[in-house]
Amino acid sequence: MSDRYAVIGRPINHTKSPLIHGLFAQACGQTLVYDAIEGEPEGFESQVLQFHREGGLGMNITAPFKLRAFELADRRSERAQLARAANALKFEDGSLYAENFDGIGLLRDIEENLDEPLRDRRVLLLGAGGAVRGALLPFLQAGPSELVIANRDMAKAVALRNEVDHPRLRISRYEELHEQTFDIVVNATSASLSGELPPLPDSVFESTRLAYELAYGKGLTPFLGQAQAKGVKRLADGVGMLIEQAAEAFAWWRGVRPSTQAVIEQLTIPLR
């Protein structure tokens, strides 16, 4: 019987994870079965445990269950603890382990695939939710000269800064960003999912090398359109992050990290 893995979320019909992990397995000469499971709001925890009882070895977790997966786990990585969310689970030695590869996946896409190292760069993260929480440790470890979090709800931003006391981490209201410029700007808000634009002053893009939209498959979102209109040459969406975090999970489960470039090329949709 093949080793079993799955992704669970709600809704789940849009997921690319079975395709991605199938391509990884093929490239690495691995044999596994990877399913998509529609999560039940009242039964998520029992679904995860049932999957394990039926022989499942690991799961990817997507919205809206990342926090509940974190709470369900017996052991949690430092990244998962900071994010207070898990995007991957592993069943091993009678324990349920939680990890969060979203941030390291995002960092690898920016630094390795897009060749935009964060070291000594000014970086702006929009939002203070789970995606930003997951990105903080990897981003700060990459050595930016300054990492600024901008958010409408300052209470969330303050709470996050208090959890991560770092000399290069700063928080800001959107209106306080006037006359400030950044090398890399990452939109981790949910605005693009509804076709909206974060209240971001145009001035932040005056020296921007890369504008990165976490949402993927949405084309030229309002955020990317604003960056393009201000002359930013390098635009990217989150498909590379999706694939890189999947590769991290695959390596965690299987002990071999697959190459990602061919899969990124296959799934990338031109931004227009």
Side-chain angles (χ1 to χ4, degrees), residues 22 31 44 68 79 107-108 116 119 123 136 172 176 180 214 259 268:
T31 301
F44 165 76
R68 287 169 66 175
R79 288 183 294 236
L107 181 66
R108 283 187 65 92
E116 292 290 349
R119 180 162 296 280
V123 180
L136 272 185
S172 174
E176 295 171 345
Q180 297 186 54
L214 252 64
S259 174
T268 295

Side-chain angles (χ1 to χ4, degrees), residues 78-138:
E78 182 183 10
R79 288 183 294 236
Q81 288 174 354
L82 176 60
R84 293 206 300 267
N87 84 327
L89 299 173
K90 178 165 67 171
F91 308 99
E92 188 175 77
D93 300 328
S95 295
L96 179 57
Y97 293 79
E99 253 290 6
N100 192 307
F101 295 117
D102 285 334
I104 194 64
L106 173 59
L107 181 66
R108 283 187 65 92
D109 191 37
I110 291 174
E111 292 203 321
E112 302 294 330
N113 302 327
L114 300 174
D115 194 24
E116 292 290 349
L118 269 62
R119 180 162 296 280
D120 298 326
R121 300 276 177 81
R122 298 195 75 234
V123 180
L124 175 62
L125 285 173
L126 309 180
V132 169
R133 283 181 165 276
L136 272 185
L137 279 183

Side-chain angles (χ1 to χ4, degrees), residues 17 20-21 24-25 28 34 60 87-88 101-102 104-105 108 113 239-261 263-264:
S17 293
I20 293 169
H21 283 275
F24 286 164
C28 295
Y34 189 104
N60 286 123
N87 84 327
F101 295 117
D102 285 334
I104 194 64
R108 283 187 65 92
N113 302 327
V239 68
M241 171 190 173
L242 171 71
I243 293 165
E244 291 294 343
Q245 65 81 27
E248 294 291 327
F250 190 95
W252 188 46
W253 294 330
R254 308 296 297 177
V256 57
R257 194 183 196 282
S259 174
T260 57
Q261 194 57 47
V263 183
I264 291 173

Side-chain angles (χ1 to χ4, degrees), residues 186-265:
V186 178
N187 181 24
T189 73
S190 60
S192 295
L193 299 178
S194 54
E196 298 176 0
L197 182 66
L200 192 62
D202 289 340
S203 58
V204 303
F205 292 115
E206 288 182 5
S207 63
T208 299
R209 300 170 56 91
L210 170 67
Y212 194 106
E213 173 72 78
L214 252 64
Y216 64 91
K218 302 294 183 182
L220 196 67
T221 64
F223 165 76
L224 292 177
Q226 180 187 16
Q228 185 181 66
K230 296 308 296 180
V232 179
K233 303 299 184 188
R234 201 78 184 273
L235 309 175
D237 72 1
V239 68
M241 171 190 173
L242 171 71
I243 293 165
E244 291 294 343
Q245 65 81 27
E248 294 291 327
F250 190 95
W252 188 46
W253 294 330
R254 308 296 297 177
V256 57
R257 194 183 196 282
S259 174
T260 57
Q261 194 57 47
V263 183
I264 291 173
E265 291 173 1

